[in-house]
Amino acid sequence: MSSTFHVRGGRPLDGEITVRGAKNLVSKAMVAALLGEDPSVLRSVPDISDVRIVSNLLSIHGVKIEHDVAGGTLQLDPSNVERAHVADIDAHAGSSRIPILFCGPLLHRLGEAIIPDLGGCRIGDRPINYHLDVLRSFGAVVDKREMGIYITAPNGLRGTKIHLEYPSVGATEQVLLTAVRAQGVTELTNAAVEPEIEDLIAVLQKMGALISLQTDRTITIEGVDRLSGYEHTALSDRIEAGSWACAALVTKGSVFVRGAEQKPMATFLNVFRKVGGGMEIREDGIRFFHPGTPLKAIALETDVHPGFMTDWQQPLVVALTQADGISILHETVYENRLGFTSALGDMGAHIQVYRECLGGSSCRFGRSNYNHSAVVSGPTALHGADITVPDLRGGFSYLIAALGAEGVSTIRGIDLIDRGYESFRDKLGALGAEFWEESR
Ligand code: EPU
């Protein structure tokens, strides 16, 4: 079933919403439960489609799952992990990037793993070469077959030294989820150190893993023979919180995001303040608001943590269309995450994209043909348009633009937003947005 979503813009969002656990931690913590010999309990789990996809993948591998959706608690019992039917695995082809992270845990539990064709947002090529190199380095044998990728470990998995050429989040998680039960010590250099990774390390430590994180992006893991279950409350979703913050700014409103945490959002909060956004940081959340004074243009580069997250870039670009002057944006994480700007142009925004690295440093996309820099001239009044969601964050950004635009916008493919934004329709309603939906 596909839905068409209509928004009448021009109303300030005003009120309170709650964010729960981070999609990009929860899905990985669910995979980690496979490594334990006893049940695990994960709390603050959002009701998003990515959680349902990972639950299905775990279920077909014999993990018993109980999900209290309203309470946000998942109980995962991996006592009877078993091989899944290829057809059941294949049914998940194209649905998510998470299956690639099942490799290490399944190799430890079953001695083999079958990975379907992966999905995830089309924001670049999104290869899996780092993942496969990591697995080979532990001693796994990777065989690309028609049904997907078939991975075995005939001689077991052994600790190893790995250097990532780029601090990839997924490849770092691949190392962690494989090394914790490998024989011997693993040393990972140039690791990603996103807060979601630190939280995954916390989960694994609760299970009995030995992991130390140095200040120079080095992670050392001493393999252990047995891991237990865990009880953990996921860190809150800083991407969702940042997205609602931008929505407050663009609609000239005020949104209290209950559950938003200051520390993992520190870089975002600095940028939000430089743009001219108002905030009140409280123990139980953060209120984001438009202070009534003109917003300011900025120069910004996305980067791995502790830099400005690529996932905040798309919502922020919409806010920059309302800032006074010329903003420069350099996307250095994904080569193709600015395609969403053309539809903003249809809504009245002035955004020009460039192949060159604009705004200071050069990045690994500098000599390529990818439009990965943008110049945003503002402020421009936005007007309603007919737009199609390109990817998860781009889709929410269109929603923000529609909420700030004059007139009615029609957004197609809205269901993609359910992958990462829990109950966004209810939240929009609570904040006073005017929208209606047709399903067919
Ligand atoms: N890369 C490779 N080879 C690989 C893996 C990655 O070249 O084998 C490249 C990617 O193409 C990209 C860069 O390395 O240019 C960084 O990718 P990374 O591996 O860090 O990303 P990921 O693990 O696939 C996660 C999040 C993304 C988030 C990025 C960066 C999940 C499920 N996804 O992706 O979140 O943008 O880290 O922080 O955790 C989203 O939530 O909408 C989303 C896309």
Side-chain angles (χ1 to χ4, degrees):
M1 193 168 64
S2 71
S3 324
T4 309
F5 201 78
H6 305 279
V7 179
R8 189 186 307 282
R11 287 186 175 203
L13 292 187
D14 188 20
E16 171 178 331
I17 51 126
T18 298
V19 294
R20 297 204 278 186
K23 157 176 115 39
N24 291 348
L25 173 275
V26 165
S27 45
K28 326 302 171 58
M30 290 171 72
V31 179
L34 262 178
L35 288 161
E37 282 174 32
D38 333 283
S40 291
V41 180
L42 185 59
R43 301 187 204 285
S44 198
V45 175
D47 182 22
I48 52 177
S49 50
D50 266 23
V51 166
R52 291 189 284 277
I53 292 168
V54 182
S55 293
N56 287 340
L57 276 163
L58 287 168
S59 296
I60 63 172
H61 286 98
V63 178
K64 249 180 73 193
I65 297 184
E66 281 176 39
H67 189 178
D68 166 7
V69 176
T73 304
L74 264 180
Q75 309 217 26
L76 306 129
D77 183 352
S79 315
N80 294 308
V81 172
E82 59 191 13
R83 285 181 175 73
H85 296 292
V86 175
D88 290 341
I89 297 175
D90 205 39
H92 292 83
S95 59
S96 157
R97 303 267 302 163
I98 304 299
I100 191 74
L101 293 177
F102 276 64
C103 293
L106 287 181
L107 286 173
H108 286 303
R109 294 297 303 257
L110 302 171
E112 66 170 27
I114 300 171
I115 306 303
D117 268 351
L118 298 179
C121 290
R122 297 269 155 250
I123 49 184
D125 260 358
R126 308 198 75 182
I128 53 167
N129 55 324
Y130 299 163
H131 293 261
L132 300 184
D133 288 349
V134 159
L135 290 161
R136 287 190 187 102
S137 175
F138 280 102
V141 175
V142 176
D143 188 8
K144 291 187 187 167
R145 296 187 180 174
E146 209 177 305
M147 60 175 179
I149 301 173
Y150 181 62
I151 304 176
T152 50
N155 302 313
L157 297 166
R158 292 175 311 278
T160 180
K161 279 189 185 229
I162 298 170
H163 178 82
L164 295 178
E165 68 174 49
Y166 185 79
S168 148
V169 169
T172 301
E173 293 160 342
Q174 184 74 261
V175 172
L176 289 169
L177 291 166
T178 308
V180 283
R181 290 243 358 239
Q183 266 176 39
V185 177
T186 297
E187 187 187 89
L188 173 65
T189 46
N190 204 26
V193 292
E194 268 59 10
E196 291 76 13
I197 286 184
E198 286 195 52
D199 213 34
L200 179 62
I201 291 176
V203 167
L204 293 167
Q205 188 176 52
K206 284 176 175 170
M207 298 175 80
L210 283 167
I211 304 172
S212 58
L213 171 59
Q214 278 90 266
T215 47
D216 63 349
R217 292 192 180 276
T218 300
I219 301 179
T220 309
I221 305 121
E222 293 173 51
V224 296
D225 291 339
R226 179 186 189 282
L227 292 170
S228 62
Y230 65 81
E231 263 200 62
H232 189 74
T233 301
L235 91 164
S236 94
D237 198 312
R238 62 197 177 116
I239 307 177
E240 187 188 355
S243 303
W244 287 110
C246 294
L249 206 52
V250 170
T251 62
K252 300 194 169 65
S254 168
V255 177
F256 178 61
V257 183
R258 185 174 292 282
E261 291 174 38
Q262 176 187 8
K263 285 183 206 155
M265 294 190 73
T267 308
F268 177 86
L269 298 178
N270 285 336
V271 169
F272 192 79
R273 188 166 270 159
K274 280 189 195 166
V275 171
M279 69 185 79
E280 183 196 346
I281 303 172
R282 293 179 12 188
E283 288 294 299
D284 53 350
I286 306 177
R287 186 168 76 89
F288 297 96
F289 58 95
H290 191 299
T293 45
L295 302 183
K296 294 176 231 126
I298 53 161
L300 181 69
E301 186 165 272
T302 62
D303 206 347
V304 294
H305 190 76
F308 189 88
M309 278 190 105
T310 169
D311 305 274
W312 288 322
Q313 175 263 104
Q314 289 158 301
L316 190 84
V317 162
V318 184
L320 294 178
T321 68
Q322 304 308 302
D324 207 351
I326 292 183
S327 294
I328 295 173
L329 189 115
H330 184 199
E331 168 61 56
T332 76
V333 180
Y334 288 111
E335 69 275 22
N336 197 13
R337 215 173 195 176
L338 290 174
F340 80 108
T341 56
S342 66
L344 295 180
D346 297 342
M347 299 179 78
H350 290 167
I351 304 175
Q352 196 73 41
V353 291
Y354 295 88
R355 278 181 291 129
E356 292 77 11
C357 300
L358 298 184
S361 61
S362 56
C363 76
R364 63 210 161 102
F365 309 133
R367 289 182 190 281
S368 66
N369 275 322
Y370 298 111
N371 285 322
H372 70 291
S373 294
V375 173
V376 185
S377 317
T380 44
L382 300 176
H383 52 78
D386 191 329
I387 41 191
T388 301
V389 169
D391 59 75
L392 174 60
R393 309 298 168 193
F396 197 84
S397 306
Y398 287 177
L399 198 49
I400 297 176
L403 291 164
E406 271 303 307
V408 175
S409 294
T410 298
I411 306 178
R412 298 173 201 280
I414 196 84
D415 303 331
L416 199 59
I417 296 180
D418 290 312
R419 279 193 48 210
Y421 291 88
E422 182 181 41
S423 310
F424 74 91
R425 296 167 182 82
D426 295 344
K427 292 179 186 177
L428 285 173
L431 296 172
E434 190 182 343
F435 63 93
W436 60 101
E437 191 165 9
E438 294 162 52
S439 298
R440 59 182 83 137

